[in-house]
Amino acid sequence: QIFLSVEGSLTMYVCTLTGSSLDIISILDCTNTITSSLKNYDPILKQHKCSDPHITSVVSVESVLLIGTSAGVLICLSLPIIPGQSPSLMTLPKGHIDGINTLIASPLDHYHMIVTGGHGLEELLHAKLSDDVSEMEGCLTFWRKYY
């Protein structure tokens, strides 16, 4: 499967290559996933994060597709994507204050190592006030997903 995103968009196109033809088998819209993950935010912070949201990075590792966004939300979904079915988009519980500008994933023995980079670190599930975030510059977050 091939994953394409248009610059400045929250839409991901899942395609297959058949001969010399690129066929779209699914279209993923990340808008609702980002909106719902930011539901606990102060309205001013939410407006800032959602003012111009777009996909900043995409990486797949074995059976997982990871989508980094300008809102600092990391979206993941299981692969492969079956034509005609809507895959479930999930978010990880932590994110970055601004966009995810680095996204690296690597399979290790019994888990995936995922590294995200961006400005600051915040709890997406509990962030309500501006004091709930870390203002560290150039923050890297390391994730492990067991399989």
Side-chain angles (χ1 to χ4, degrees), residues 94 96 112-117 121 139-144:
K94 291 182 188 270
H96 294 281
H112 299 142
M113 176 62 73
I114 304 163
V115 181
T116 63
L121 181 64
C139 181
L140 289 177
T141 305
F142 294 86
W143 304 87
R144 290 192 312 185

Side-chain angles (χ1 to χ4, degrees), residues 1-4 14-25:
Q1 293 181 332
I2 299 168
F3 308 98
L4 303 172
V14 182
C15 307
T16 58
L17 188 60
T18 309
S20 62
S21 174
L22 191 63
D23 301 321
I24 297 173
I25 62 168

Side-chain angles (χ1 to χ4, degrees), residues 1-78:
Q1 293 181 332
I2 299 168
F3 308 98
L4 303 172
S5 177
V6 178
E7 185 176 351
S9 171
L10 280 175
T11 303
M12 174 74 56
Y13 297 92
V14 182
C15 307
T16 58
L17 188 60
T18 309
S20 62
S21 174
L22 191 63
D23 301 321
I24 297 173
I25 62 168
S26 186
I27 299 174
L28 309 174
D29 185 357
C30 300
T31 306
N32 290 338
T33 305
I34 290 176
T35 303
S36 66
S37 70
L38 301 176
K39 68 182 175 211
N40 293 329
Y41 274 67
D42 175 270
I44 293 172
L45 290 174
K46 187 175 181 178
Q47 181 182 358
H48 168 72
K49 286 179 148 303
C50 294
S51 64
D52 184 25
H54 55 274
I55 293 171
T56 58
S57 50
V58 177
V59 68
S60 70
V61 58
E62 294 190 3
S63 61
V64 178
L65 179 68
L66 301 161
I67 303 170
T69 67
S70 62
V73 176
L74 182 62
I75 300 170
C76 57
L77 63 139
S78 297

